[in-house]
Amino acid sequence: MSLGFRVAVGQFKEVTPDDLSFCKQLGVTGITINRPDFEAPSWRTFLGKHYPYGPADFNKSAKWDFMDLLNLRRRIEDFGLKLEAIENVPYHFYDKALIGAEGRDAQIENYCETLRNLGRAGINTLGYHFCPNLVWRTSTARPARGGAGVTAFNYDDARHAPVTHGREIGAAEMWENFEYFITRVLPVAEEAGVRMSLHADDPPVPTLGGVARIMNSLDGFRRAMKIGNSPNHGLTFCVGTWGQMGGETVYEALDEFSRQKRAFYLHMRNIKGSVPDFSECFIDEGDLDVVRILRILKTNGFDGFLIDDHVPQMTADTPWGHRGRAFSTGYLRGLCRGIEEAERAAH
Ligand SMILES: [Mn+2]
């Protein structure tokens, strides 16, 4: 009996052939890439300098080019790996859409073209978030196991931060921005055969830097999935961020969305504490019951993939975290194997 889901690895902001070999060595079948800016020299090198395709078009930096995407997928498949998803377009592709600023219509038009190009290139999952001022942490100095490098957050420390966008942006306005964006891009995603996968706001507090964080609760996500009601709209279910909401929320939400087939893929990590104060930690410690999470997926017939998520920095690690990710990925693969064996024994 197979579990029906698989472990991948990823969050590469740039990738080299060595990285892909490393992924193969970990025994995973697929990878994800994070907000690639294909204009960057490292990406030009990876994709190959000689294109059977004309020069860059004028708007290239505002959207992804079909041939870049096709080459990306092919290069990864050449290593025997599947490109499971790309997570997030570069921030400047849709920063105005996030806050409803002038110029958002042009960005949305470009975003639609990116979706079409993803579909044409055979890449069917695009992760996204709807959080104008991104991930916040207030400490990188909290003690962790063996002195590993982890991040932590304390809401009291962050509460009085200055506004990040020149003014306050409340929840009602953020919901309007979200509806404006998602109702325009989703029909195009459907047509292109691309799934849009929404990550929760990390940390899931009400507001930071004057900007409301609307994807911070189960109710918020129910609302988001209702506004963007499509089989092509679902969740990048980040167990860390959902765990930071505290209590049983992470299990309830995962059960609900995986049952509805709207959890497209998962970020796996562990945490100690929850809002208003938490630290990241190794996946085999912390407050989240990772086995319970995997069992929910198994029970609900989840058929997507899992990846590790900002792992602790281990001794002599690289910025991407080769050592930390090897530990996390191996641990996850071992747990999956254990659950598979337990299922086999039970039937
Ligand atoms: Mn995450």
Side-chain angles (χ1 to χ4, degrees), residues 274-286:
S274 60
V275 167
D277 186 276
F278 62 83
S279 311
E280 296 191 357
C281 61
F282 285 99
I283 191 158
D284 64 338
E285 56 176 351

Side-chain angles (χ1 to χ4, degrees), residues 81-303:
L81 292 162
K82 177 178 160 61
L83 177 55
E84 293 276 13
I86 303 183
E87 195 164 314
N88 297 332
V89 296
Y91 183 64
H92 66 271
F93 280 19
Y94 77 131
D95 55 342
K96 291 172 180 148
L98 287 171
I99 57 166
E102 207 185 316
R104 72 171 157 181
D105 287 331
Q107 286 191 335
I108 288 172
E109 214 168 287
N110 281 325
Y111 199 101
C112 289
E113 193 55 21
T114 289
L115 288 167
R116 289 188 196 99
N117 284 338
L118 284 164
R120 288 168 182 140
I123 300 168
N124 70 5
T125 305
L126 175 65
Y128 82 108
H129 65 80
F130 210 78
C131 186
N133 55 23
L134 312 172
V135 175
W136 285 48
R137 293 290 187 265
T138 55
S139 169
T140 53
R142 216 173 275 190
R145 191 168 80 195
V150 302
T151 66
F153 178 79
N154 181 283
Y155 199 23
D156 285 330
D157 287 341
R159 207 182 281 279
H160 304 293
V163 295
T164 56
H165 285 70
R167 66 183 177 91
E168 306 236 329
I169 304 177
E173 191 177 338
M174 281 305 299
W175 279 113
E176 279 171 29
N177 296 341
F178 175 71
E179 183 161 359
Y180 191 94
F181 171 76
I182 201 67
T183 55
R184 280 161 180 79
V185 300
L186 254 190
V188 177
E190 285 175 3
E191 219 178 278
V194 174
R195 304 183 308 173
M196 291 185 62
S197 191
L198 177 61
H199 192 290
D201 295 355
D202 181 7
V205 297
T207 184
L208 279 173
V211 182
R213 298 170 91 80
I214 55 175
M215 305 305 170
N216 68 345
S217 66
L218 183 48
D219 280 345
F221 265 80
R222 285 178 178 144
R223 186 171 170 185
M225 290 300 125
K226 204 168 155 195
I227 294 169
N229 189 12
S230 159
N232 287 56
H233 192 210
L235 279 74
T236 297
F237 195 94
C238 179
V239 303
T241 308
W242 282 91
Q244 286 153 209
M245 295 175 201
E248 291 282 297
T249 308
V250 58
Y251 311 107
E252 283 168 20
L254 182 62
D255 185 52
E256 180 169 325
F257 293 121
S258 60
R259 207 178 282 264
Q260 297 169 0
K261 308 295 174 206
R262 288 187 99 162
F264 293 157
Y265 68 101
L266 273 76
H267 281 180
M268 299 294 292
R269 59 181 165 91
N270 216 320
I271 45 155
K272 292 178 177 175
S274 60
V275 167
D277 186 276
F278 62 83
S279 311
E280 296 191 357
C281 61
F282 285 99
I283 191 158
D284 64 338
E285 56 176 351
D287 296 338
L288 302 183
D289 184 343
V290 177
V291 171
R292 185 171 167 194
I293 285 164
L294 296 175
R295 286 195 187 281
I296 290 171
L297 295 177
K298 170 71 190 152
T299 302
N300 291 346
F302 173 69
D303 62 0

